[in-house]
Amino acid sequence: MFKGSITALITPFTQDGAIDEKAFQSFVDWQLKQGTTGVVPVGTTGESPTLSHAEHHRVVELALEVAKGRGPVIAGTGSNSTAEAISLTRHAQNAGADAALVVTPYYNKPGQRGLYAHYKAIHDATDIPIVIYNIPGRSVVDMSVDTMAQLSKLPRIVGVKDATSDLERPALTRLAAGADFCQLSGEDGTIVPFLAQGGHGCISVTSNIAPKLCAELHAAWAAGNIAKVQELNYRLLPVHKAMFCETSPGPVKYAAELLGLCGSHMRLPMVEITEESKQRVESALRTAGILS
């Protein structure tokens, strides 16, 4: 069971656009030292759509070199091509990842039967645990609770990253798929009610730049310290909002640069965030005590 604060890792780039391997591995090491439960390389926060297959493979391998044995590595392996998703998932499996995070197919807009067939094909072609990534805001399609419950019956479909912001969804999914089906929020701002409705953790953007605070919130929840949970939730909420003042990962990469963790360079079509957004990000970090 995956649980707690899991970071959807950014991918640092050098000024000339190459992957900054040294900064990335240093960043993964810092994450785990700060209390992050696990890491997700090459998810959408890691700008996976702009990486070549060779770069995608390399980032997974870099994360595993640092994190393996210290926390689970859930590699992003999704695609709107089932064959490509199978290929990326096989690489993650062979590299030693603990699981694969597979986003619902974007642009194609498959129906529920197509979604089921897509995930079953990936499941049947690999031997690694698979976490469904349901994010209608980016992929346009929304996997229904019924479809997810059907997929949960396959032995290695183990959970979901739920980025629907529908706070009925974790309770309905728990009833349909069972308490052992791992539910991880994909929306930082809703994590507390998500946990209250049956969730187990969060694959987080904010934990890129506030890993200790995010980990402390989940630890407080596990300990039943609701007062501490509320204190941390209120402290982090403006940061969560600032991380999405523009399309992610622009704001979180700028925040990482402010903290001296890596550069904020992105690949087109993503561009540098505006000065107004920069001010909002910096203000949120200072208010939360993340930036002095």
Side-chain angles (χ1 to χ4, degrees), residues 1-3 131 158-161 178-184 200-201:
M1 175 73 71
F2 303 114
K3 60 183 179 180
V131 177
V158 298
V160 60
K161 177 184 177 182
D180 291 336
F181 188 69
C182 181
Q183 296 196 69
L184 304 168
H200 301 98

Side-chain angles (χ1 to χ4, degrees), residues 4 37 221:
T37 303
W221 177 268

Side-chain angles (χ1 to χ4, degrees), residues 19 21 24-25 28 57-67:
I19 293 168
E21 295 191 1
F24 179 71
Q25 289 200 308
V28 174
H57 294 170
R58 182 61 179 155
V59 173
V60 172
E61 292 160 4
L62 289 167
L64 283 163
E65 286 176 12
V66 176

Side-chain angles (χ1 to χ4, degrees), residues 237-246 251-252 277 280-281 284-285:
L237 189 56
V239 183
H240 299 329
K241 299 292 283 185
M243 292 306 98
F244 291 90
C245 65
E246 289 191 30
V252 73
S277 293
R280 182 172 176 183
V281 168
L285 295 186

Side-chain angles (χ1 to χ4, degrees), residues 4 11-12 29 36 40 43 55 61-62 123 126 147 150 153 176 178 180 187 220 232 249 265 290:
T11 303
D29 179 64
T36 292
V40 177
E55 289 174 325
E61 292 160 4
L62 289 167
H123 172 276
T126 61
T147 300
Q150 291 176 41
K153 295 175 184 176
D180 291 336
E187 297 286 348
L232 289 166
H265 311 294
I290 297 167

